[in-house]
Amino acid sequence: MRAGLATFAVAAIGSAALWWGTDGGGALTSEAARRLNIAAAPRGLPDATLHDQSGAELALSDYRGAPLVLEFVYATCPDICLALGTAFEQLDAILPEDARLVSISFDPQDDTERLGWFAGRHGATAPRWRVAGIADEAERAALIARAGVVVIPDRRGGFVHNAGLYLVDAEGRLTAVFDPDDTEGLRAALTGDAR
Amino acid sequence: MVVLAAGPPIGTLLEARLPTHILGQYSLIVAGGALIGGRLARGRVAPSTAAPALLAAILTLGFWFLPRWIDASLADPAIRAAKVASLACLAGLPLGWGWTQAGPVLRGFLVANAAAMLTIMGWLMRVVPSRLCNAYLLSDQHLLANGLLIAAGTLLAVLLVPALTGSASDAGPASRRSASQSQRHPAE
């Protein structure tokens, strides 16, 4: 009897811990947890000075007042960033005119030439769609950390990173993260709640 | 053993790759706790504590196998400390205690379930096309999957070989006690 009660108590406490540790079974991975957390509590993004594919400088905060979609890439990425670029091409075609797109490179090696190459490959043209780097290391790290982007070396000279489409509202708050192939979901959110 | 596996430089080295993090560091920390648990249980007869102790170990290990908390333990020193402490005290220690107190049926049940869970986790990690942990490469995930499948096979062999060769013996305290009682009172 005592053994049964003790086993039941341990099972109850353990199940509660697992329930808490997975946000009610909804987030087994840190990526899922990040998305749930952002959707539940939109977070402000730190400002950063961007330099785009034409060499022009502007601040991320300059985009306030209209919806913005971000993605984090690096110019020489051979796989997932190409999919992200394609997703932005689709968003470029379907989002309202006042919405803006910025592909932000987390690779400090991405200079204006490389950013221009990535922009040319995907047909990105300012001011609608900028491909930009952040020269200041602290600003770049702060923005990436706040967005929950994790970048690790791929042991072949490139990087592996979690991919997503980041919806930022007119007040500069990150409100949702979408899969690269969920451009329709992002459009629906942007034309509805994000404004 | 726990301090060695968790502290620098060995802890840092083990955490650098997913297979060594889980199969190396976790195993060493749990084994360290289990040695203490086993020593504490020596000479004590409390078979009713075996099941809750083993369940506590399973649930604690299950928690720290979640990709989300593997990532979190690398990003946050407080969570890392919680991982080391709970793997030693809530997984290893009760595992050593519970294993010493458990009879053959419970031991067999535990090993069979552990093998099944390791197989499922290994298979899942092999077939999922994306990374489960943000902090590790997909190739590391596949290596861990192979390691888990090998561990499952080893556990099954440990369970089946003695059973098939007839060399399985009972080392649980309850049965040892009843065995000694029947030797003293063979007619009863």
Side-chain angles (χ1 to χ4, degrees), chain A residues 33-48:
Chain A
R34 174 179 75 127
R35 293 183 186 198
L36 278 178
N37 184 271
I38 288 170
R43 55 180 77 163
L45 293 175
D47 201 6

Side-chain angles (χ1 to χ4, degrees), chain A residues 92-169:
Chain A
D92 188 18
I94 62 175
L95 290 186
E97 276 185 17
D98 64 336
R100 293 290 179 261
L101 303 163
V102 181
S103 304
I104 295 180
S105 169
F106 51 73
D107 184 354
Q109 304 296 318
D110 282 349
D111 53 15
T112 303
E113 186 185 347
R114 279 202 198 177
L115 297 172
W117 177 83
F118 189 89
R121 178 172 191 149
H122 294 287
T125 51
R128 168 72 154 181
W129 177 3
R130 283 190 165 92
V131 180
I134 302 171
D136 187 280
E137 194 177 329
E139 285 185 353
R140 185 171 61 244
L143 179 62
I144 285 172
R146 188 69 176 150
V149 179
V150 179
V151 181
I152 56 173
D154 69 358
R155 300 194 200 116
R156 290 175 297 173
F159 302 97
V160 170
H161 57 104
N162 46 347
L165 307 171
Y166 299 76
L167 179 56
V168 180
D169 68 8

Side-chain angles (χ1 to χ4, degrees), chain A residues 3 7 10-11 14 17-18 20-23 27-31 33 150 152 155 160-162, chain B residues 16-17 48 51-52 55-56 59 62-63 66-69 71 131-132 134-137 139-140:
Chain A
T7 306
V10 169
L18 287 169
W20 170 81
T22 58
D23 285 329
L28 300 180
T29 63
S30 46
E31 185 60 21
V150 179
I152 56 173
R155 300 194 200 116
V160 170
H161 57 104
N162 46 347
Chain B
R17 302 285 300 269
S48 64
L55 184 61
L59 290 169
F63 184 91
L66 290 171
R68 168 182 184 172
W69 291 102
D71 274 338
R131 292 182 306 139
L132 294 173
N134 278 342
Y136 293 111
L137 299 176
S139 56
D140 269 12

